[in-house]
């Protein structure tokens, strides 16, 4: 499908070529006009993860969500729902909230003192009578609401009043992550990176496994389940050691995702007996580890699903996209989570959360917003540090005169094509009925996904 402007009928430059869906034109990652098309056609129509709900735990807590040149305030209502407003005073536009606040008494503009209730109603205009009546129309001086819904432990906003509800737009990730009880996770760590790359380039560094062996060689541990060779003899003891090594390297490498508690639970199983048959050994180990982790958390009254049951239902992958910019990476009890925000054609803000389960009543307080680090900051945990070391070089390499397009492996990197073509669907201005099947394909586990027919 080419990007065809529904009003002018003109095809946009740098659309994905329907004949070669495994090639991505390089200009999509830096051309200012293409970026502007995304600003106008993609972002105003999609659900954006505006904040985690633990950032606004009490009634009238409010947090500012900034995106491109927009600012939205997201607040907890008195009944523990959420609401959102455009963050601009109706007088002369001053942003009413910066960062975080509580607004039990509503909002007072610091410039001339206009006041608004928590539901956005204007209650005070100093020297009201001296304004012309047409500028004081009731309703016209209230805060402008923004669509806001909750799902998955987060508040989501959308500038498109015609978009389906957030949960419907995130299927099947939504149902799978609900079964995994994603909503009961809380923030344990929160990182932010300013990356000198296009937002899609940043996203696409994380949606395939093809890079893992070379970029993260420490994850290629001989003897673990992913590296078992059919011709090599199977050693149950060595297998268990390799599995536990893998979990520890993941946990330390991500500063989360596999929680340190889960690694300790795995350590406790080191002496267990396994069948000699490799397939039976792998499934026995997985079941035992899942059971031990479930029991550890339930003894502490933490909310955790039966992850063995999810395994049986095929609902226990380690990566789920929520198009376009939010991701959850569940492993055992815990998860990493990513959000990407464009800052310009070649600059992106990426956040990483380490999410964990806590006993009821022992959840941590609102997480402190992270300091934003550069890609090369020495404080990054090893795995993101490795991914971030490639990204600036890739963004620079794309500009090479002799480089025209990325050539994707249509089996291992198909998700990138699926993602790019779904974006083209938005850029073409297609209605949501036509976009939903593509969203169903993209909002799923991206690893080793082939290039799919998206029906666009
Ligand atoms: S800009 Fe808000 S009161 Fe004037
Ligand atoms: Fe990676």
């Amino acid at each position: 499908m080419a990007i065809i402007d529904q009003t002018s009928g003109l095809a946009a430059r740098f659309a994905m070529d329907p004949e070669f869906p495994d090639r991505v034109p390089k200009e999509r990652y830096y051309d200012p006009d293409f970026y502007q098309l995304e600003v106008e056609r993609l972002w105003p129509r999609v659900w954006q993860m505006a904040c985690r709900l633990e950032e606004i735990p009490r009634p009238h807590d409010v947090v500012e969500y900034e995106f491109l040149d927009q600012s939205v305030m997201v607040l907890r209502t008195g009944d523990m729902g959420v609401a959102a407003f455009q963050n601009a005073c109706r007088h002369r536009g001053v942003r009413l909230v910066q960062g975080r606040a509580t607004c039990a008494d509503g909002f007072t503009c610091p410039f001339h003192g206009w006041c608004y209730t928590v539901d956005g109603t204007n209650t005070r205009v100093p020297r009201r009578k001296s304004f012309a009546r047409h500028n004081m129309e009731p309703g016209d001086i209230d805060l402008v609401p923004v669509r806001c819904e909750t799902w998955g432990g987060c508040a989501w906003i959308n500038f498109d009043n015609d978009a389906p509800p957030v949960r419907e737009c995130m299927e099947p990730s939504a149902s799978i992550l609900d079964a995994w009880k994603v909503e009961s996770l809380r923030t344990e760590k929160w990182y932010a990176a300013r990356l000198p790359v296009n937002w899609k380039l940043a996203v696409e560094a994380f949606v395939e496994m093809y890079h893992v062996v070379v970029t993260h060689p420490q994850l290629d541990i001989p003897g673990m389940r992913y590296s078992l060779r059919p011709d090599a003899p199977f050693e149950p003891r060595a297998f268990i050691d390799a599995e536990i090594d893998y979990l520890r390297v993941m946990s330390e490498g991500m500063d989360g995702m596999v929680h340190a508690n889960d690694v300790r639970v795995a350590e406790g199983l080191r002496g267990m007996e396994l069948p000699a048959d490799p397939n039976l050994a792998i499934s026995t180990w997985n079941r035992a580890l899942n059971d031990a982790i479930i029991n550890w958390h339930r003894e502490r009254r933490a909310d955790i699903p039966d992850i063995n049951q999810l395994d049986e239902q095929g609902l226990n992958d380690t990566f789920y996209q929520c198009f376009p910019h939010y991701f959850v990476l569940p492993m055992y009890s815990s998860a990493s989570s990513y959000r990407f925000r464009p800052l310009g054609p070649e600059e992106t803000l990426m956040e990483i959360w380490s999410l964990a389960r806590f006993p009821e009543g022992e959840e941590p307080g609102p997480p402190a917003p992270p300091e934003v680090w550069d890609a090369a900051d020495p404080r990054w945990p090893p795995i993101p540090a490795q991914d971030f070391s490639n990204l600036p070089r890739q963004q620079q390499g794309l500009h090479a005169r002799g480089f025209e397009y990325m050539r994707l492996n249509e089996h291992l990197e198909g998700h990138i094509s699926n993602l790019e073509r779904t974006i083209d669907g938005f850029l073409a201005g297609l209605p949501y009925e036509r976009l939903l099947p593509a969203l169903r394909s993209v909002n799923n586990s991206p690893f080793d996904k082939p290039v799919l027919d998206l029906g666009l």
Side-chain angles (χ1 to χ4, degrees):
M1 187 202 69
I3 304 173
I4 306 289
D5 184 320
Q6 301 245 301
T7 44
S8 70
L10 293 175
R13 296 165 77 204
F14 316 130
M16 294 289 284
D17 182 342
E19 277 198 40
F20 293 104
D22 54 358
R23 292 179 174 175
V24 191
K26 65 170 183 176
E27 294 85 354
R28 296 172 71 88
Y29 301 95
Y30 60 76
D31 181 75
D33 293 337
F34 190 87
Y35 177 78
Q36 191 54 34
L37 208 55
E38 291 176 341
V39 168
E40 290 167 15
R41 302 279 186 89
L42 172 71
W43 294 109
R45 293 187 64 202
V46 292
W47 285 102
Q48 297 184 38
M49 196 285 249
C51 69
R52 290 205 48 89
L53 292 175
E54 60 261 35
E55 290 181 70
I56 45 173
R58 292 170 302 266
H60 308 129
D61 284 345
V62 55
V63 67
E64 180 189 15
Y65 173 63
E66 287 186 282
F67 190 86
L68 302 170
D69 61 355
Q70 300 297 304
S71 172
V72 173
M73 42 201 202
V74 180
L75 63 105
R76 279 281 190 181
T77 53
D79 59 0
M80 291 304 278
V82 291
F85 300 101
Q86 290 183 20
N87 190 7
C89 175
R90 296 304 301 271
H91 177 219
R92 279 166 60 190
V94 166
R95 286 187 177 180
L96 295 168
V97 170
Q98 287 188 300
R100 289 183 187 177
T102 59
C103 61
D105 300 326
F107 307 96
T108 301
C109 181
F111 197 177
H112 310 92
W114 286 32
C115 294
Y116 306 87
T117 62
V118 291
D119 64 4
T121 308
N122 183 298
T123 52
R124 182 165 182 260
V125 174
R127 302 178 63 182
R128 178 188 291 259
K129 289 203 173 75
S130 56
F131 279 85
R133 185 180 295 256
H134 64 259
N135 274 335
M136 288 292 116
E137 290 295 332
D140 193 38
I141 53 172
D142 296 339
L143 296 180
V144 179
V146 175
R147 254 183 107 183
C148 186
E149 296 179 11
T150 58
W151 168 72
C154 304
W156 303 76
I157 57 120
N158 197 328
F159 293 105
D160 181 359
N161 288 328
D162 296 327
V166 62
R167 207 179 168 288
E168 198 177 330
C169 291
M170 299 305 167
E171 289 289 22
S173 292
S175 288
I176 297 170
L177 291 168
D178 280 345
W180 187 68
K181 294 181 179 275
V182 68
E183 76 287 350
S184 56
L185 298 174
R186 296 290 179 274
T187 302
E188 195 166 50
K189 315 259 174 64
W190 186 6
Y191 291 103
R194 187 185 298 274
L195 304 172
V197 305
N198 181 268
W199 73 275
K200 301 187 298 300
L201 205 76
V203 164
E204 292 163 11
F206 297 91
V207 298
E208 42 85 2
M209 298 285 269
Y210 182 41
H211 76 286
V212 170
V213 172
V214 175
T215 297
H216 312 294
Q218 75 277 25
L219 294 176
D220 187 24
I221 297 169
M224 79 176 179
R225 80 190 85 159
Y226 304 116
S227 69
L228 288 179
R229 299 207 327 267
D231 51 328
F234 178 71
E235 281 291 335
R237 292 260 75 77
F239 167 77
I240 291 178
D241 289 346
E243 290 284 298
I244 295 172
D245 276 357
Y246 175 75
L247 296 177
R248 187 183 315 97
V249 172
M250 282 301 278
S251 180
E252 290 170 3
M254 290 296 296
D255 196 16
M257 186 147 75
V258 180
H259 200 279
N261 289 331
D262 294 356
V263 180
R264 275 191 287 275
V265 171
E267 286 279 4
L269 299 179
R270 198 186 282 276
M272 81 176 274
E273 293 300 323
L274 288 182
D277 174 72
N279 289 329
L280 207 53
I282 292 171
S283 61
T284 306
W285 166 257
N286 283 344
R287 273 202 85 80
L289 180 55
N290 287 343
D291 277 335
I293 287 171
I294 295 166
N295 290 339
W296 192 92
H297 284 272
R298 289 193 177 158
E299 278 166 15
R300 284 159 185 76
R301 294 174 296 109
D303 187 31
I304 187 168
D306 183 338
I307 44 183
N308 271 321
Q309 202 177 9
L310 297 180
D311 263 347
E312 282 160 24
Q313 296 170 314
L315 303 180
N316 204 12
D317 274 321
T318 55
F319 205 119
Y320 292 96
Q321 174 149 16
C322 301
F323 181 88
H325 78 156
Y326 186 68
F327 297 80
V328 180
L329 294 72
M331 280 196 84
Y332 301 97
S333 73
S334 304
S336 288
S337 183
Y338 302 154
R339 174 173 69 179
F340 298 84
R341 280 182 274 180
L343 300 175
E346 298 184 77
E347 193 168 32
T348 294
L349 179 66
M350 176 187 182
E351 288 154 282
I352 304 176
W353 286 263
S354 298
L355 304 174
R357 299 182 192 277
F358 293 88
E360 205 186 321
E362 292 176 31
E363 297 93 346
E371 187 187 328
V372 181
W373 297 345
D374 288 338
D377 194 289
R379 290 169 288 183
W380 284 111
I383 292 177
Q386 289 166 325
D387 291 310
F388 294 166
S389 71
N390 292 330
L391 276 169
R393 298 168 64 162
Q394 186 186 12
Q395 184 73 34
Q396 290 163 336
L398 290 177
H399 288 270
R401 285 171 190 271
F403 184 87
E404 290 173 63
Y405 48 80
M406 295 191 192
R407 58 194 73 233
L408 303 175
N409 181 308
E410 61 179 334
H411 305 291
L412 301 176
E413 299 174 302
H415 186 81
I416 293 172
S417 167
N418 302 335
L419 182 59
E420 293 287 343
R421 286 177 296 134
T422 302
I423 290 168
D424 279 0
F426 279 89
L427 302 189
L430 297 183
Y432 251 96
E433 315 78 274
R434 291 200 46 205
L435 292 166
L436 277 173
L439 290 177
R440 298 272 182 276
S441 298
V442 168
N443 287 327
N444 211 324
S445 176
F447 295 147
D448 299 348
K449 274 281 148 64
V451 173
L452 297 170
D453 178 357
L454 302 175
L456 290 172

